[in-house]
Amino acid sequence: MKAIARYLGQPRFVVNSETDYPGLAAAISILAIGLDNGDPPPIEASKEAIATFNDDLDMLAQRIKGMFTRIVDTGASHLKRTEAKQVLE
């Protein structure tokens, strides 16, 4: 999870006036596929391992939420932004 959160810190995931929104949506869609498979700690994992996993997951969720809130989609004139935002939901 930490590696994914660091990956989301790369310039291609920075939301600004030069963002490639279709590319961002595609990259996040691929990320979602990987995350759906999941890799939670085993049931018999220590409380520390479970807490670390949850903290890492929270950090990843914060990165994605930050990207979501930085996308300004003001209607039909910014359809690609709206589509990217939907992928982040």
Side-chain angles (χ1 to χ4, degrees):
M1 295 286 179
K2 285 183 185 179
I4 294 171
R6 280 193 307 270
Y7 184 71
L8 290 177
Q10 293 181 351
R12 75 184 324 180
F13 294 102
V14 174
V15 176
N16 59 33
S17 62
E18 298 177 16
T19 298
D20 172 17
Y21 290 101
L24 176 65
I28 295 298
S29 294
I30 292 169
L31 174 66
I33 292 168
L35 288 174
D36 280 345
N37 290 332
D39 191 19
I43 294 172
E44 62 275 354
S46 69
K47 288 184 181 182
E48 293 82 20
I50 293 171
T52 299
F53 175 80
N54 289 336
D55 290 345
D56 292 346
L57 190 58
D58 289 344
M59 180 176 54
L60 181 59
Q62 286 297 90
R63 289 266 173 123
I64 292 171
K65 184 177 179 181
M67 291 168 41
F68 179 86
T69 58
R70 283 190 297 276
I71 296 175
V72 179
D73 59 334
T74 56
S77 63
H78 296 106
L79 186 59
K80 292 178 181 169
R81 291 180 186 188
T82 303
E83 291 169 345
K85 206 166 185 177
Q86 287 175 341
V87 171
L88 287 166
E89 284 185 304

